[in-house]
Amino acid sequence: MPTNKVTAWVGWVWFAAFALITVGLFNVVAGLVAIFSSEKVLAWTNSGLAIIDVSTWGWVHLILGAIITLVGFVLFGGAPWVRATAVVLVVLNLLAQFVSLPVTPWWSIVVIALDLVILWALIVHGDEAERAAA
């Protein structure tokens, strides 16, 4: 007989939802700052040195942040597809933060750490959110 018992661990999923909203809003702000910045960054490529326009990367953060914020709000419903979508978006955000390390190292490290906690909560305790919503 399967158990549908919901334990206190479901709180981690609600924390992940709040954290997703926070990370998404932070990405929106960082994206807007980068969009309106005229700063250029030097980066090494296989072909040599490249100059990267920070405002272009700001659009990535802005769009990703807006989607992450929306998914954070929807995650409170506990649907399994939202949890899977959130995991994919958090992994994309991790990659975006690794690319942003040369521009904002301390901020990127903080967001990477928060993303890892969000992933842990969604993957380990996400099924409890589904049971709580049922």
Side-chain angles (χ1 to χ4, degrees):
M1 172 161 71
T3 178
N4 286 341
K5 184 179 177 187
V6 177
T7 66
W9 288 106
V10 75
W12 276 104
V13 180
W14 306 148
F15 166 78
F18 279 116
L20 276 173
I21 294 166
T22 304
V23 166
L25 291 175
F26 285 157
N27 274 0
V28 167
V29 170
L32 288 172
V33 168
I35 288 169
F36 294 112
S37 173
S38 60
E39 185 177 339
K40 308 276 190 248
V41 177
L42 295 176
W44 291 102
T45 66
N46 291 339
S47 304
L49 193 60
I51 298 175
I52 300 170
D53 184 11
V54 175
S55 65
T56 304
W57 193 242
W59 284 103
V60 172
H61 280 285
L62 178 69
I63 293 167
L64 186 60
I67 295 170
I68 287 173
T69 302
L70 178 66
V71 168
F73 281 112
V74 178
L75 185 62
F76 285 113
W81 68 268
V82 178
R83 185 170 53 118
T85 304
V87 167
V88 170
L89 289 172
V90 170
V91 169
L92 289 175
N93 192 46
L94 271 169
L95 294 174
Q97 294 303 325
F98 274 112
V99 172
S100 298
L101 271 170
V103 180
T104 56
W106 291 107
W107 180 251
S108 293
I109 289 171
V110 168
V111 175
I112 288 169
L114 189 56
D115 281 346
L116 290 174
V117 173
I118 293 169
L119 279 175
W120 174 78
L122 291 174
I123 293 170
V124 174
H125 302 293
D127 60 332
E128 294 219 12
E130 295 172 30
R131 290 195 303 261

